[in-house]
Amino acid sequence: MTNPACIEAPLPKGVSDFLPETADKITFIADSIHRVFELWGFRRMITPLLEFEDVLALGMGDELRSKTFRFDDRQTGRLLAIPPDITPQVARIVATRMHALPLPHRIYYSGRVLRQAQMQSGRSREIFQSGVELIGLNSPEADAEMVAMAVEVLKNLGFTGFKIDLGQVDFYRGIMDASGLSREVQYQLQDAISKKEVTAVRSILEAAGAPDRVKEEIALLPRLYGGREVLKEAARIAGNERSRKALENITQVVEILDIYGVADHLTIDLGEIRGLDYHTGITFEGFVPGIGEAVCSGGRYDDLTAKYGYPAHATGFAFNILALLASMAKRPEVEASSSRDFLVFNKKDERREALEVAQKLRSLGFTCARDIIKRDFESSLEYAKKMDIRMLLVIGAEECAADQLYLVRVADRRAITVGKQELFDKGLDLKFDLQGENHG
């Protein structure tokens, strides 16, 4: 039903309103993620919504800078920016505000960022991120910890059949540095390899007159995808020290992930060169069945904090909460997260009992709202149904004695008479033995 008096109030493309039901689900997912982060010893940081553009730009590559919303600050005359990613903010804060504290820093964050998107792409410009940064450690165990946490979150959210694609950008860099190919040819190859276009890679190498050894190494990159056999195949062609060290690093990470018991969720992709201008070692992305985009991504970025004057090794990753929401849309536990427990319907003229019962239920951890509007039973029940409230709690029902309440399950209108203390003791665990009961 529409309201003819409502004005037209459109939103800019790429952003959305999230009504209470969806907001509850987002909160449920975020809380599940944060619980894992905290169990692993990470502490929350809250970053600002605005930064000076020139300061923020120090921690961003060209791609992120091109997606940043900018505008003038009337107070200072400087250019402001809405962050397109939270990691550069964390790097700035650690470098400028936390440099006197002992390492490592275990930090997690949650927030919204904005990124410019092409009008025809249909992509959201607003991204809900929850992520971690582990700053001050340069070890395979630190990289493995990021992957293990991502797996734990996805398991806790009930996902099965998901995969973590693990890469190592230094393997690619080593091969390209040793190839002797021009920068222009390398850029062409980078684009083709990122798209897994094997034929295009071969054509570029032929046109560039690359030596046979270089052709073999580079042409294999888009196909270095799969299980651990990929590492053996990569070792066969790695003819430079940088690539060999990268293989040793990723092999150590996989061995540690074996100890965590999560290696079955891994695929290895040495042709993955996402974030080449940003990442410095291990990279990874998480994919769940039924959705084409990554639900989490991250990796090592050892050069970032140095841009703010404080060199420190670092690794991290972030979840895209809206991507998780889309993949969990029909899951019962997410649906349940938007439900409320009780709506109190008072048939008495005096309100004391209704308020006291509601207050007691809240003190026991139940959600409980009072139907303050004066209306009949059917209208109150219909309201509870539309608001996704599980139980209608009737005060002063004819079926009840003085120390009893009338409880109606909204989904099917089934009802029981229950003693107050029994309700306080058992809450939603009450058994609905409905034979002979009044069904409202």
Short mmCIF file of all heavy atoms in Angstrom, two decimals, residues 193-221:
data_model
loop_
_atom_site.label_atom_id
_atom_site.label_comp_id
_atom_site.label_asym_id
_atom_site.label_seq_id
_atom_site.Cartn_x
_atom_site.Cartn_y
_atom_site.Cartn_z
N ILE A 193 46.88 -12.33 -18.40
CA ILE A 193 47.03 -13.35 -17.35
C ILE A 193 45.93 -13.21 -16.31
O ILE A 193 45.38 -14.20 -15.83
CB ILE A 193 48.43 -13.25 -16.71
CG1 ILE A 193 49.49 -13.71 -17.72
CG2 ILE A 193 48.51 -14.11 -15.45
CD1 ILE A 193 50.92 -13.39 -17.29
N SER A 194 45.60 -11.96 -15.96
CA SER A 194 44.55 -11.75 -14.95
C SER A 194 43.21 -12.29 -15.43
O SER A 194 42.36 -12.66 -14.63
CB SER A 194 44.43 -10.26 -14.62
OG SER A 194 43.94 -9.53 -15.73
N LYS A 195 43.01 -12.33 -16.75
CA LYS A 195 41.76 -12.85 -17.32
C LYS A 195 41.86 -14.32 -17.71
O LYS A 195 40.93 -14.88 -18.29
CB LYS A 195 41.37 -12.02 -18.55
CG LYS A 195 41.10 -10.56 -18.24
CD LYS A 195 40.86 -9.76 -19.52
CE LYS A 195 40.62 -8.29 -19.21
NZ LYS A 195 40.48 -7.47 -20.44
N LYS A 196 43.00 -14.95 -17.43
CA LYS A 196 43.25 -16.36 -17.75
C LYS A 196 43.12 -16.63 -19.25
O LYS A 196 42.66 -17.70 -19.68
CB LYS A 196 42.28 -17.28 -16.99
CG LYS A 196 42.21 -17.04 -15.49
CD LYS A 196 43.50 -17.39 -14.79
CE LYS A 196 43.36 -17.30 -13.29
NZ LYS A 196 44.66 -17.42 -12.59
N GLU A 197 43.56 -15.69 -20.06
CA GLU A 197 43.45 -15.82 -21.52
C GLU A 197 44.75 -16.42 -22.06
O GLU A 197 45.68 -15.70 -22.45
CB GLU A 197 43.15 -14.48 -22.15
CG GLU A 197 41.77 -13.93 -21.76
CD GLU A 197 41.51 -12.54 -22.33
OE1 GLU A 197 42.48 -11.88 -22.79
OE2 GLU A 197 40.35 -12.10 -22.30
N VAL A 198 44.83 -17.74 -22.09
CA VAL A 198 46.05 -18.44 -22.46
C VAL A 198 46.46 -18.11 -23.90
O VAL A 198 47.64 -17.85 -24.19
CB VAL A 198 45.86 -19.96 -22.30
CG1 VAL A 198 47.11 -20.71 -22.75
CG2 VAL A 198 45.53 -20.29 -20.85
N THR A 199 45.50 -18.09 -24.81
CA THR A 199 45.81 -17.81 -26.21
C THR A 199 46.36 -16.40 -26.38
O THR A 199 47.33 -16.18 -27.13
CB THR A 199 44.54 -17.98 -27.08
OG1 THR A 199 44.03 -19.29 -26.92
CG2 THR A 199 44.87 -17.73 -28.55
N ALA A 200 45.76 -15.44 -25.68
CA ALA A 200 46.24 -14.06 -25.77
C ALA A 200 47.65 -13.93 -25.22
O ALA A 200 48.49 -13.20 -25.77
CB ALA A 200 45.30 -13.14 -25.00
N VAL A 201 47.96 -14.67 -24.15
CA VAL A 201 49.31 -14.63 -23.58
C VAL A 201 50.32 -15.13 -24.61
O VAL A 201 51.37 -14.51 -24.82
CB VAL A 201 49.37 -15.49 -22.29
CG1 VAL A 201 50.82 -15.68 -21.83
CG2 VAL A 201 48.56 -14.83 -21.18
N ARG A 202 50.01 -16.24 -25.26
CA ARG A 202 50.93 -16.79 -26.26
C ARG A 202 51.12 -15.83 -27.42
O ARG A 202 52.24 -15.65 -27.93
CB ARG A 202 50.41 -18.14 -26.76
CG ARG A 202 50.48 -19.25 -25.71
CD ARG A 202 50.21 -20.61 -26.33
NE ARG A 202 50.30 -21.67 -25.36
CZ ARG A 202 51.45 -22.22 -24.97
NH1 ARG A 202 52.60 -21.81 -25.50
NH2 ARG A 202 51.45 -23.20 -24.08
N SER A 203 50.05 -15.18 -27.85
CA SER A 203 50.14 -14.24 -28.97
C SER A 203 51.04 -13.06 -28.63
O SER A 203 51.85 -12.61 -29.45
CB SER A 203 48.74 -13.75 -29.36
OG SER A 203 47.93 -14.81 -29.80
N ILE A 204 50.90 -12.53 -27.40
CA ILE A 204 51.72 -11.40 -26.97
C ILE A 204 53.19 -11.80 -26.92
O ILE A 204 54.07 -11.04 -27.35
CB ILE A 204 51.24 -10.88 -25.59
CG1 ILE A 204 49.83 -10.30 -25.71
CG2 ILE A 204 52.20 -9.84 -25.03
CD1 ILE A 204 49.15 -10.05 -24.38
N LEU A 205 53.47 -13.00 -26.40
CA LEU A 205 54.85 -13.47 -26.31
C LEU A 205 55.46 -13.68 -27.69
O LEU A 205 56.64 -13.37 -27.92
CB LEU A 205 54.90 -14.76 -25.50
CG LEU A 205 54.58 -14.62 -24.00
CD1 LEU A 205 54.40 -15.99 -23.37
CD2 LEU A 205 55.70 -13.87 -23.29
N GLU A 206 54.67 -14.22 -28.62
CA GLU A 206 55.16 -14.42 -29.99
C GLU A 206 55.47 -13.08 -30.64
O GLU A 206 56.52 -12.92 -31.27
CB GLU A 206 54.12 -15.18 -30.82
CG GLU A 206 53.96 -16.65 -30.46
CD GLU A 206 55.17 -17.47 -30.86
OE1 GLU A 206 55.99 -16.99 -31.69
OE2 GLU A 206 55.32 -18.58 -30.33
N ALA A 207 54.57 -12.13 -30.48
CA ALA A 207 54.77 -10.82 -31.10
C ALA A 207 55.98 -10.10 -30.51
O ALA A 207 56.66 -9.33 -31.21
CB ALA A 207 53.52 -9.96 -30.92
N ALA A 208 56.27 -10.37 -29.24
CA ALA A 208 57.40 -9.71 -28.59
C ALA A 208 58.72 -10.42 -28.87
O ALA A 208 59.79 -9.91 -28.49
CB ALA A 208 57.16 -9.64 -27.09
N GLY A 209 58.67 -11.57 -29.52
CA GLY A 209 59.89 -12.32 -29.80
C GLY A 209 60.57 -12.85 -28.55
O GLY A 209 61.81 -12.88 -28.47
N ALA A 210 59.79 -13.26 -27.58
CA ALA A 210 60.35 -13.73 -26.31
C ALA A 210 61.10 -15.04 -26.51
O ALA A 210 60.70 -15.88 -27.33
CB ALA A 210 59.23 -13.91 -25.29
N PRO A 211 62.20 -15.26 -25.78
CA PRO A 211 62.92 -16.53 -25.84
C PRO A 211 62.02 -17.69 -25.41
O PRO A 211 61.05 -17.50 -24.67
CB PRO A 211 64.08 -16.34 -24.85
CG PRO A 211 64.21 -14.86 -24.69
CD PRO A 211 62.84 -14.30 -24.88
N ASP A 212 62.37 -18.91 -25.84
CA ASP A 212 61.55 -20.08 -25.54
C ASP A 212 61.38 -20.30 -24.04
O ASP A 212 60.29 -20.65 -23.56
CB ASP A 212 62.18 -21.33 -26.18
CG ASP A 212 62.04 -21.32 -27.69
OD1 ASP A 212 61.19 -20.54 -28.20
OD2 ASP A 212 62.78 -22.06 -28.36
N ARG A 213 62.46 -20.09 -23.26
CA ARG A 213 62.37 -20.27 -21.81
C ARG A 213 61.36 -19.31 -21.21
O ARG A 213 60.53 -19.70 -20.36
CB ARG A 213 63.74 -20.05 -21.17
CG ARG A 213 63.72 -20.12 -19.64
CD ARG A 213 65.03 -19.65 -19.03
NE ARG A 213 65.32 -18.27 -19.39
CZ ARG A 213 64.78 -17.21 -18.79
NH1 ARG A 213 63.89 -17.37 -17.82
NH2 ARG A 213 65.10 -15.98 -19.17
N VAL A 214 61.38 -18.06 -21.64
CA VAL A 214 60.44 -17.06 -21.14
C VAL A 214 59.02 -17.41 -21.56
O VAL A 214 58.07 -17.30 -20.76
CB VAL A 214 60.84 -15.65 -21.64
CG1 VAL A 214 59.76 -14.63 -21.28
CG2 VAL A 214 62.19 -15.25 -21.06
N LYS A 215 58.87 -17.87 -22.80
CA LYS A 215 57.54 -18.27 -23.26
C LYS A 215 56.97 -19.38 -22.39
O LYS A 215 55.80 -19.35 -22.00
CB LYS A 215 57.62 -18.76 -24.72
CG LYS A 215 57.81 -17.68 -25.76
CD LYS A 215 57.86 -18.32 -27.14
CE LYS A 215 58.15 -17.30 -28.21
NZ LYS A 215 58.27 -17.93 -29.56
N GLU A 216 57.79 -20.36 -22.07
CA GLU A 216 57.32 -21.49 -21.28
C GLU A 216 56.88 -21.04 -19.89
O GLU A 216 55.81 -21.44 -19.40
CB GLU A 216 58.41 -22.55 -21.15
CG GLU A 216 57.96 -23.78 -20.35
CD GLU A 216 59.09 -24.76 -20.09
OE1 GLU A 216 60.26 -24.41 -20.31
OE2 GLU A 216 58.78 -25.88 -19.64
N GLU A 217 57.70 -20.20 -19.26
CA GLU A 217 57.39 -19.74 -17.91
C GLU A 217 56.10 -18.92 -17.88
O GLU A 217 55.21 -19.17 -17.06
CB GLU A 217 58.55 -18.90 -17.35
CG GLU A 217 59.79 -19.70 -17.01
CD GLU A 217 60.87 -18.83 -16.41
OE1 GLU A 217 60.70 -17.58 -16.38
OE2 GLU A 217 61.90 -19.37 -15.97
N ILE A 218 56.02 -17.94 -18.76
CA ILE A 218 54.89 -17.01 -18.70
C ILE A 218 53.61 -17.65 -19.21
O ILE A 218 52.52 -17.42 -18.65
CB ILE A 218 55.23 -15.72 -19.47
CG1 ILE A 218 56.41 -15.01 -18.79
CG2 ILE A 218 54.01 -14.80 -19.55
CD1 ILE A 218 56.87 -13.75 -19.48
N ALA A 219 53.71 -18.48 -20.25
CA ALA A 219 52.51 -19.12 -20.80
C ALA A 219 51.88 -20.07 -19.80
O ALA A 219 50.67 -20.36 -19.87
CB ALA A 219 52.85 -19.87 -22.09
N LEU A 220 52.67 -20.55 -18.85
CA LEU A 220 52.14 -21.48 -17.85
C LEU A 220 51.37 -20.76 -16.74
O LEU A 220 50.53 -21.37 -16.06
CB LEU A 220 53.28 -22.30 -17.25
CG LEU A 220 52.91 -23.50 -16.37
CD1 LEU A 220 52.10 -24.53 -17.16
CD2 LEU A 220 54.16 -24.14 -15.79
N LEU A 221 51.64 -19.47 -16.54
CA LEU A 221 51.05 -18.75 -15.40
C LEU A 221 49.52 -18.85 -15.32
O LEU A 221 49.00 -19.12 -14.24
CB LEU A 221 51.48 -17.28 -15.45
CG LEU A 221 52.92 -16.98 -15.01
CD1 LEU A 221 53.28 -15.53 -15.31
CD2 LEU A 221 53.08 -17.26 -13.52
#
